[in-house]
Amino acid sequence: RRARWRQQQGTPNTHLHIVAVMLALATASSAWWFPSGASTRDATVDGIDLACPDTSAPFGLACGMKVVATAKASCSDVLEEMHARVDGQADGSWHDPHNRGTYAVQKYGGSFSTSRLTGDGKFTDKQLFTLTRTGSGSCQIQACSRSQVPSGLDAGTNYCNLKMLFCGSHDCAGGRCCKPLKHDFTTAGEQTEKFMQSSVDLGVCLKV
C-alpha cells in the first residue's frame, strides 16, 4: 500500500517541479493579463488607480472587469440608485436583467460593494464601487468586479455585474433598456479594462 501511495502521489522532487512550473506560468501570465504595475487589489485604467475586490482563485487567475465612467448626477444620487436596485430585489420592484442574478450588499471597501450570485446559483462574484465627486458636480464611478474561481472567459458577466447597478434608460441593446428606480442619469467617457479574457457586451447584460 505504501509503495502504491508513493507512486500515485509522486516523489518530493516531482512535487517541487510541478510547483515551480505553476509559479513560472503564473508569473508569465500575470505580465500578459494584468497591466504593468497592476494587481488583483489595485489596477489602473488610463492612469486611474482602481480598488478591486480580492479573488480566491489561485494566483489571482480569474476573470474580472474594471469600469470607469462619469455620471451626470451627484454621487449621493448614484449611491441611492445602486442601493435601491439591490433592495428592490426583495419586493420585485427591480430584478437583475442579466439572467436574474442576486446581489447582496457587502463590506469589501470603497463607497459601495456587493456580491452577485449567478442566476443558476453556481458562482458568486465580488464588486467594489468608488464614487468621487468631480468639479462639474458630476460623479466619477470607478468600479471593479472579480470572479472567485479560476476562469479565462466570462461571457460578459463581470461587466454586467457592474453596469447593471448604474446604467440608465438610455442604455439599450436589442430593444431592451435598463430600468432605473429612483434616479435616471446618463454616463459618459466609459473606459473598461479586463482581467483574463473577460468581455464587454451590453446586449448580454439585458437579457430578461
Side-chain angles (χ1 to χ4, degrees):
R1 291 182 178 178
R2 291 181 179 178
R4 183 180 300 174
W5 184 88
R6 290 195 186 99
Q7 184 176 9
Q8 292 174 343
Q9 297 297 315
T11 64
N13 287 337
T14 300
H15 291 162
L16 289 174
H17 177 70
I18 292 173
V19 171
V21 170
M22 291 177 68
L23 287 172
L25 288 173
T27 301
S29 298
S30 64
W32 179 55
W33 281 313
F34 300 123
S36 177
S39 70
T40 59
R41 288 292 297 175
D42 297 286
T44 302
V45 176
D46 282 0
I48 301 172
D49 289 330
L50 298 182
C52 285
D54 286 325
T55 176
S56 55
F59 306 110
L61 298 180
C63 287
M65 184 63 65
K66 295 160 281 181
V67 177
V68 175
T70 299
K72 295 182 179 179
S74 67
C75 287
S76 60
D77 283 355
V78 173
L79 183 59
E80 185 176 23
E81 178 61 26
M82 291 195 292
H83 269 290
R85 296 186 193 187
V86 176
D87 295 342
Q89 297 171 118
D91 61 13
S93 59
W94 186 84
H95 72 271
D96 174 21
H98 179 51
N99 298 320
R100 293 186 180 272
T102 303
Y103 288 91
V105 176
Q106 302 293 347
K107 296 181 179 179
Y108 302 140
S111 306
F112 184 63
S113 58
T114 56
S115 60
R116 179 185 176 274
L117 177 67
T118 53
D120 58 11
K122 293 182 178 180
F123 303 104
T124 299
D125 303 325
K126 295 180 179 180
Q127 300 82 45
L128 192 155
F129 300 82
T130 301
L131 307 179
T132 305
R133 180 181 178 182
T134 66
S136 61
S138 297
C139 182
Q140 184 185 70
I141 302 170
Q142 300 176 20
C144 185
S145 176
R146 293 305 310 274
S147 297
Q148 297 301 301
V149 297
S151 49
L153 301 170
D154 72 350
T157 294
N158 281 282
Y159 175 75
C160 297
N161 289 345
L162 303 170
K163 186 73 172 180
M164 293 303 94
L165 288 184
F166 65 83
C167 58
S169 62
H170 64 289
D171 291 304
C172 304
R176 297 186 178 93
C177 302
C178 288
K179 297 179 179 179
L181 287 181
K182 292 189 173 183
H183 303 285
D184 186 9
F185 47 80
T186 60
T187 56
E190 181 174 290
Q191 304 171 54
T192 62
E193 192 169 296
K194 65 187 178 182
F195 287 87
M196 307 295 279
Q197 295 304 305
S198 299
S199 56
V200 175
D201 186 348
L202 184 60
V204 170
C205 305
L206 299 170
K207 281 190 173 183
V208 294

